[in-house]
DNA sequence: CATTGTCCCAGC
DNA sequence: GCTGGGACA
C-alpha cells in the first residue's frame, strides 16, 4: 500500500455529549434549545455543552447562562450534579463507558476523551473485503456519509442551488465517488479509496449500533490517519460521517485555517 | 475568584 | 516522579 495510506482510521465524536446524556435522562429536553451548565451562583452558571438547536441562536460553550438566555429566552438548562461543592462528571463518564462498550464490538478503540474515540479499522476492512469479493458497494449502506471533495466539477450555479438541499449534494457526491471506484472488488490490489469506503460502511453500522443500544448520536471521520480523521469528523456535524480521501486533502487545506488541525489550534495557530 | 477539568508532554 | 504549560472540550 502506498505510503501514508496503509491504515484506515476513524474518529467518532459524540454530538454535544453532556446534553444528550441529560436529554436521555429527561426526555422533555429533547429537540429543544438546551445547555448543560455548572455552578449556579455566578451569572447562572457556566455553559459546558450546547444542543444544536441552541447553537442556532448563537449560544456557545463558555457563555454564562444569564447571557445565553438573552440570546435564547426559552433555553432549557440542565445542571451538572455537584458533590462536596465540586462539579461531578461521573454521570457522563458512565455514559461514555456505555458507548465505548458498543464501539469495542467493532474494533479496538483508543479513547481520546470522554466523548471521542479513535479506531484502527484496517483489519476490519480486510475482513469485510473478503465478504464483498466480486460485489460492489451499495449506496444504501452509506446513507449518512459525505465524501469530502465530491461531487467534483459542480458549477457555481449548481453549487448555490445545492446549498438549499445539502442532502441532494451529499447523495450526488456519494454516487459520483462510488462510480469512480473499481466496478467489482477484489482482495488483491485493493485501492485505498475502496478501503476508506468499506471503513465508512463499518462506521455506519457502528454508529447505528451506538444509537440503538445507548440512544446517543455521534459524528465520525474516516481517513488514513488520526489527524485527518479528526479533521473529517468536524466537516459534517451532527449525526453524519465524512470520508476524507487523500486526494481531497490539498484543496481542503487551502480552504481551512491551520488552527482547525489538531494541536495547531493554540499558540501555533496564531502565527 | 469568575472558565473548569482533563490529558499529555517537556523539563527538572 | 512531579510540575507547569498547552491544547482541547
Amino acid at each position: 500500500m502506498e505510503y501514508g495510506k496503509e491504515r484506515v482510521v476513524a474518529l467518532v465524536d459524540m454530538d454535544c455529549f453532556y446534553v444528550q446524556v441529560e436529554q436521555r435522562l429527561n426526555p422533555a429536553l429533547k429537540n429543544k434549545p438546551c445547555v448543560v451548565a455548572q455552578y449556579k451562583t455566578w451569572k447562572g452558571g457556566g455553559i459546558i455543552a450546547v444542543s444544536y438547536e441552541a447553537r442556532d441562536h448563537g449560544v456557545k460553550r463558555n457563555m454564562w447562562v444569564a447571557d445565553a438566555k438573552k440570546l435564547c429566552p426559552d433555553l432549557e438548562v440542565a445542571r451538572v450534579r455537584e458533590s462536596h461543592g465540586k462539579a461531578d462528571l461521573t454521570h457522563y463518564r458512565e455514559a461514555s463507558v456505555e458507548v465505548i462498550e458498543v464501539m469495542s464490538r467493532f474494533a479496538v478503540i483508543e479513547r481520546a476523551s470522554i466523548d471521542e474515540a479513535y479506531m484502527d479499522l484496517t483489519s476490519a476492512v480486510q475482513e469485510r473485503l473478503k465478504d464483498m469479493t466480486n460485489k460492489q458497494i451499495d449506496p444504501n449502506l452509506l446513507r449518512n456519509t459525505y465524501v469530502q471533495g465530491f461531487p467534483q466539477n459542480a458549477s457555481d450555479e449548481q453549487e448555490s442551488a445545492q446549498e438549499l438541499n445539502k442532502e441532494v449534494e451529499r447523495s450526488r457526491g456519494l454516487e459520483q465517488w462510488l462510480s469512480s471506484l473499481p466496478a467489482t472488488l477484489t482482495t488483491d490490489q485493493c485501492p485505498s479509496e475502496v478501503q476508506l469506503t468499506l471503513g465508512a460502511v463499518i462506521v455506519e453500522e457502528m454508529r447505528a449500533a451506538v444509537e440503538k443500544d445507548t440512544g446517543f448520536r455521534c459524528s465520525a471521520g474516516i481517513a488514513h490517519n488520526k489527524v485527518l480523521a479528526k479533521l473529517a469528523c468536524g466537516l459534517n456535524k451532527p449525526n453524519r460521517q465524512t470520508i476524507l480521501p487523500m486526494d481531497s486533502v490539498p484543496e481542503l487545506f487551502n480552504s481551512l485555517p491551520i488552527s482547525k488541525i489538531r494541536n495547531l489550534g493554540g499558540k501555533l495557530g496564531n502565527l
Side-chain angles (χ1 to χ4, degrees), chain A residues 35-53:
Chain A
V35 295
V36 175
Q38 59 187 1
Y39 304 122
K40 200 163 181 166
T41 45
W42 187 261
K43 298 189 174 186
I47 293 171
I48 58 173
V50 186
S51 77
Y52 282 78
E53 292 85 349

Side-chain angles (χ1 to χ4, degrees), chain A residues 37 43 45-48 58-68 71:
Chain A
K43 298 189 174 186
I47 293 171
I48 58 173
V59 176
K60 300 235 167 68
R61 167 178 257 273
N62 297 339
M63 273 181 181
W64 301 113
V65 168
D67 297 331
L71 295 170

Side-chain angles (χ1 to χ4, degrees), chain A residues 150-170:
Chain A
F150 285 73
Q152 299 172 322
N153 314 319
S155 73
D156 290 342
E157 195 181 324
Q158 282 171 328
E159 221 162 87
S160 54
Q162 282 157 14
E163 265 174 42
L164 298 172
N165 195 342
K166 214 183 168 210
E167 173 54 21
V168 169
E169 183 184 12
R170 183 202 68 81

Side-chain angles (χ1 to χ4, degrees), chain A residues 101-265:
Chain A
E101 282 174 354
V102 177
M103 294 195 305
S104 299
R105 307 207 301 253
F106 293 81
V108 175
I109 303 301
E110 179 193 351
R111 215 190 122 153
S113 74
I114 197 167
D115 74 336
E116 285 185 334
Y118 290 94
M119 56 209 69
D120 189 323
L121 296 174
T122 312
S123 57
V125 164
Q126 295 309 114
E127 286 301 307
R128 185 61 64 103
L129 191 54
K130 291 178 193 164
D131 309 333
M132 298 282 298
T133 304
N134 298 321
K135 302 204 180 101
Q136 48 187 13
I137 300 170
D138 183 346
N140 287 318
L141 301 175
L142 294 165
R143 287 202 193 101
N144 301 288
T145 300
Y146 286 80
V147 183
Q148 180 61 24
F150 285 73
Q152 299 172 322
N153 314 319
S155 73
D156 290 342
E157 195 181 324
Q158 282 171 328
E159 221 162 87
S160 54
Q162 282 157 14
E163 265 174 42
L164 298 172
N165 195 342
K166 214 183 168 210
E167 173 54 21
V168 169
E169 183 184 12
R170 183 202 68 81
S171 170
R172 276 193 60 224
L174 178 65
E175 295 282 355
Q176 199 183 96
W177 165 259
L178 290 176
S179 61
S180 77
L181 302 178
T184 59
L185 304 183
T186 52
T187 33
D188 56 317
Q189 182 219 337
C190 176
S192 65
E193 291 80 7
V194 168
Q195 303 206 16
L196 289 183
T197 309
L198 290 177
V201 171
I202 294 166
V203 174
E204 286 263 11
E205 293 168 0
M206 178 184 315
R207 292 179 45 250
V210 167
E211 183 167 7
K212 178 169 177 284
D213 292 359
T214 71
F216 299 133
R217 291 181 169 182
C218 57
S219 301
I222 302 97
H224 289 302
N225 62 57
K226 286 166 66 173
V227 169
L228 291 180
K230 168 77 175 163
L231 183 60
C233 180
L235 295 175
N236 294 288
K237 283 188 176 187
N239 201 29
R240 293 292 182 268
Q241 58 184 64
T242 306
I243 297 172
L244 178 50
M246 213 49 121
D247 287 351
S248 299
V249 170
E251 186 186 333
L252 182 62
F253 274 25
N254 284 335
S255 67
L256 217 62
I258 67 157
S259 60
K260 293 287 175 197
I261 294 155
R262 190 167 90 135
N263 293 331
L264 304 182

